[in-house]
Amino acid sequence: MKDIDYLKKYLKEENLEEAIKRLEKGEPVQYIVGEVDFFGNIIKVNKNVLIPRFETEELVYKTIEYIKKYFKKSIKIVDLGTGSGCIAITLKKKLPNSIVHAVDISKEALEVAKYNARINNVNINFYLGDMLEPLTDKYDCIISNPPYIAHDEEVMDIVKNNEPHVALYANDNGLENYKKILKNANKYLNDKYLIAFEIGATQANEVFKLAKRYFPNDSIIIEKDMQNRDRFIFITNIKSFLSNKL
């Protein structure tokens, strides 16, 4: 009933019957409507991009607050695995003086992200490639909600059957992309930096160990989402970060 009410809110009466049929066949309501509200921004979605979640809004909120607290100047940010572009677009709108870049391995996803940037009237540089690989610049902030589901992990049918697997699954028990980023991140970071990750609810210890391996002298913070699950990791060389976190 909740999903049908959502359809009624966004669709015209003459389109409801077909939309309800699609819903009954197991298609996510967000794909049927074709858009979601993310942080107050309209983000278009289709089967080429992951549907943005509330947890990712939390990641963006926390990252914005940390940037405002610890960086006093215009900064340079890159969003790795941008998908629909929801993270990059929100960061650019909330931090308009910052330079924002975004990367995705899917050409189809980048087309959606570029469209979303246009309709939200923000200027973002987009790159096609695998995480840091296509980049040549250095950044103050690297942010990512990468694919992190292990291939043998239990996933709801509505997710597994509809959302792009390239945006969901990762090798090495879901840790592949964190390793790719952390192993190479130093080459892409300015002198003062923040790395912000969304992680799977059972991955905190493993991602923490990876962060400690590649950034042994940094502050590494695990933070919980509103459901009290470990869902975010922040890595920084800002010395006051641990004692003055949010």
Side-chain angles (χ1 to χ4, degrees):
M1 182 59 70
K2 183 180 176 182
D3 285 344
I4 293 176
D5 290 340
Y6 188 89
L7 291 175
K8 288 179 179 178
K9 179 180 177 181
Y10 286 97
L11 298 180
K12 294 179 179 178
E13 185 73 31
E14 59 266 27
N15 298 326
L16 272 178
E17 185 177 349
E18 178 61 29
I20 291 170
K21 287 179 181 177
R22 290 169 63 184
L23 191 66
E24 290 171 346
K25 289 179 180 178
E27 189 172 349
V29 66
Q30 295 90 340
Y31 286 157
I32 298 170
V33 171
E35 65 185 43
V36 297
D37 182 306
F38 185 88
F39 224 103
N41 306 312
I42 297 301
I43 301 294
K44 300 292 183 180
V45 293
N46 60 31
K47 289 194 174 186
N48 294 312
V49 297
L50 201 68
I51 297 167
R53 265 70 171 182
F54 292 118
E55 292 86 355
T56 308
E57 286 187 308
E58 290 183 68
L59 171 70
V60 173
Y61 171 79
K62 289 174 180 289
T63 302
I64 290 169
E65 291 303 301
Y66 280 134
I67 288 171
K68 287 179 176 178
K69 188 171 186 177
Y70 291 104
F71 295 87
K72 302 303 181 185
K73 60 182 178 64
S74 170
I75 72 167
K76 200 165 190 176
I77 305 166
V78 62
D79 171 27
L80 303 177
T82 194
S84 66
C86 61
I87 291 176
I89 289 164
T90 304
L91 289 172
K92 182 62 180 175
K93 292 186 83 169
K94 295 295 183 180
L95 303 165
N97 293 324
S98 294
I99 296 167
V100 180
H101 293 178
V103 180
D104 206 280
I105 200 169
S106 164
K107 182 179 178 181
E108 292 77 16
L110 277 183
E111 290 304 314
V112 177
K114 289 175 182 177
Y115 180 78
N116 280 323
R118 286 197 299 273
I119 66 173
N120 281 281
N121 197 32
V122 291
N123 183 27
I124 295 169
N125 289 352
F126 291 97
Y127 299 87
L128 177 64
D130 189 3
M131 299 300 165
L132 293 162
E133 175 268 329
L135 301 172
T136 57
D137 291 2
K138 290 195 172 187
Y139 300 90
D140 303 287
C141 177
I142 293 173
I143 187 170
S144 186
N145 173 27
Y148 56 68
I149 299 174
H151 289 285
D152 60 353
E153 190 173 331
E154 194 73 26
V155 179
M156 291 187 297
D157 285 344
I158 194 170
V159 174
K160 181 171 61 178
N161 296 337
N162 290 281
E163 300 192 57
H165 285 197
V166 69
L168 292 170
Y169 296 101
N171 294 329
D172 200 2
N173 203 32
L175 299 173
E176 175 185 30
N177 292 301
Y178 301 111
K179 288 183 178 179
K180 283 181 184 177
I181 296 169
L182 292 170
K183 182 179 179 181
N184 298 295
N186 266 317
K187 296 182 288 186
Y188 299 90
L189 290 167
N190 284 324
D191 292 339
K192 178 181 177 181
Y193 56 80
L194 174 68
I195 301 172
F197 287 141
E198 181 175 329
I199 60 174
T202 62
Q203 292 177 321
N205 287 339
E206 293 303 315
V207 179
F208 183 91
K209 288 177 187 175
L210 283 173
K212 208 66 183 167
R213 181 194 306 172
Y214 294 108
F215 293 87
N217 300 315
D218 283 9
S219 297
I220 304 167
I221 309 292
I222 299 170
E223 294 201 19
K224 295 183 181 296
D225 64 12
M226 287 188 289
Q227 280 71 50
N228 205 37
R229 302 170 299 179
D230 293 332
R231 291 303 302 270
F232 315 108
I233 285 188
F234 295 92
I235 306 160
T236 184
N237 65 345
I238 300 169
K239 297 306 180 186
S240 60
F241 195 88
L242 270 175
S243 57
N244 292 290
K245 65 175 189 166
L246 298 178

